[in-house]
Amino acid sequence: MRPDGRPANRTIVFRDYLPDTNQLQFAVDRRSLKIEQIAHQPWGELCWYFSDTREQFRLLGQLTLVQEGQDDPLLDKARQVLWQKLSDAGRVQFSWPEPREPRAENEAFHPPAPDPNMPLPQFCLLLLDPVEVDHLELRGDPQNRWWYGRSQDDPTQEIWSVQAINP
Ligand SMILES: Cc1cc2nc3c(=O)[nH]c(=O)nc-3n(C[C@H](O)[C@H](O)[C@H](O)COP(=O)(O)O)c2cc1C
């Protein structure tokens, strides 16, 4: 969501779950607009369509941005691990010229490869912690749809309920 209330969306690569949690991990650049938007509204919804099984999943969840200087050692480590898992081509994008500025010269896009063990300050780990999942299965006549909700009573517990609903 943009600060003025208009919607925003982008394609991002799912980078596995944070170990031993349901939180989804993404690699994002601190200079991107989504970072400002998360500060304003720390919620996101992602949509996945699996064309082989013809299933749509929409996951609504709370967002956590893990930046340089993160206090929580587990999250700091997760940021480091994700940086190490990126390819050189993935890492170097974080030292490309400032996003949204007028197009720079080509050589500015070929800086030296960043250190694989030292995340650049621009590199952030973004987490989405799902609280609702809307699952639509197109197969079947009629189609099937389920709504999963996570109880908000005790955030330390993962208690989910499921309800079959009309598509
Ligand atoms: C196939 C594909 C994969 C992408 N993966 C990512 C990603 O993992 N992380 C990311 O920040 N942007 C990714 N992008 C770019 C975003 O969609 C978006 O253009 C960019 O992050 C700038 O967004 P913002 O400034 O509006 O936040 C990807 C784009 C495409 C087309």
Side-chain angles (χ1 to χ4, degrees), residues 12-69:
I12 51 172
V13 178
F14 168 52
R15 309 273 180 184
D16 210 341
Y17 292 93
L18 184 69
D20 305 317
T21 75
N22 282 336
Q23 299 198 51
L24 296 93
Q25 302 186 115
F26 305 96
V28 298
D29 193 312
R30 193 175 69 183
R31 304 168 297 171
S32 63
L33 275 179
K34 65 181 82 53
I35 304 299
E36 284 172 36
Q37 295 169 6
I38 292 164
H40 174 78
Q41 164 63 281
W43 286 87
E45 185 176 55
L46 63 90
C47 183
W48 241 325
Y49 179 60
F50 296 97
S51 51
D52 285 355
T53 59
R54 301 177 62 217
E55 285 170 287
Q56 171 185 270
F57 291 85
R58 289 187 295 172
L59 283 70
L60 173 72
Q62 210 145 15
L63 300 171
T64 303
L65 193 65
V66 183
Q67 307 199 53
E68 189 179 44

Side-chain angles (χ1 to χ4, degrees), residues 104-155:
E105 296 297 324
N106 267 355
E107 53 266 32
F109 292 89
H110 299 285
D115 183 342
N117 296 312
M118 184 76 74
L120 290 174
Q122 294 89 294
F123 172 74
C124 302
L125 163 65
L126 178 65
L127 300 172
L128 183 139
D129 193 12
V131 297
E132 287 181 20
V133 178
D134 185 337
H135 176 198
L136 174 67
E137 189 182 57
L138 295 182
R139 265 185 326 194
D141 184 16
Q143 303 166 353
N144 293 302
R145 185 174 176 188
W146 294 272
W147 186 86
Y148 295 81
R150 183 170 140 194
S151 166
Q152 300 285 286
D153 295 345
D154 178 358

